[in-house]
Amino acid sequence: MKINPYLIFNGDCKAAFTFYAQALPGHIDMMMTFGESPAREHFPADLHNLIIHTRLSVGDQAIMGSDTTPDRPTDEMAGCSVSLNVDSIAEAERVFTALAEDGKVQMPLETTFWAARFGMLVDRFGVSWMVNCEKDQ
């Protein structure tokens, strides 16, 4: 069993996942708009450019997401963080810096009592991230 985060956006899913594919880095396995889906006729044409489903693979893990429709907007993403556990301080610093671009650092990446590096941030899309490197391998 694997647990995969599924992020819901208010129209910027494509931009977010394109950014994550570069920052993490990862590979977008699929990205389908409402207009490309078999359910196309159930959505107004002005929603056809929104993402109905996407999947980004990072190693053997995945993160998925979609846009919501304007009649069902999401509130800010709060109360949950995507936790990234990396194997080296250099990778922790790289990923943290990339995700923090145009975002807000909540806790700088630093040594803690449990980790060689740990930091928290909210990216430019409002998604909370925790970057954790327990030991530098």
Side-chain angles (χ1 to χ4, degrees), residues 17-65:
F17 272 75
T18 300
F19 173 68
Y20 300 152
Q22 295 173 352
L24 295 179
H27 178 264
I28 295 176
D29 299 318
M30 75 100 48
M31 184 176 287
M32 179 182 286
T33 65
F34 282 81
E36 295 168 331
S37 79
R40 170 189 176 97
E41 66 275 356
H42 298 287
F43 298 99
D46 62 328
L47 302 183
H48 284 190
N49 64 324
L50 296 177
I51 302 301
I52 196 168
H53 181 71
T54 189
R55 177 188 165 95
L56 173 71
S57 292
V58 181
D60 67 345
Q61 301 294 309
I63 187 168
M64 297 179 283

Side-chain angles (χ1 to χ4, degrees), residues 4 8 10 16 20 27 30 36 57-59 74-75 83 86 89 97 107 111 115 118 121 127 131 133-134 137:
N4 304 113
I8 311 271
N10 288 315
Y20 300 152
H27 178 264
M30 75 100 48
E36 295 168 331
S57 292
V58 181
T74 62
D75 293 330
S83 179
V86 299
I89 290 172
T97 299
M107 179 181 172
T111 303
F118 176 81
L121 64 100
V127 176
V131 177
C133 175
E134 292 181 3
Q137 296 178 346

Side-chain angles (χ1 to χ4, degrees), residues 71-128:
D71 61 317
R72 297 176 46 199
T74 62
D75 293 330
E76 287 187 25
M77 294 187 197
C80 184
S81 293
V82 178
S83 179
L84 300 175
N85 295 288
V86 299
D87 293 331
S88 72
I89 290 172
E91 182 66 356
E93 291 171 349
R94 186 196 68 73
V95 168
F96 191 87
T97 299
L99 289 171
E101 183 180 331
D102 297 326
K104 182 179 179 188
V105 173
Q106 296 176 312
M107 179 181 172
L109 192 66
E110 58 191 16
T111 303
T112 66
F113 65 89
W114 75 86
R117 293 291 184 279
F118 176 81
M120 298 174 12
L121 64 100
V122 176
D123 72 23
R124 66 178 87 163
F125 302 101
V127 176
S128 296

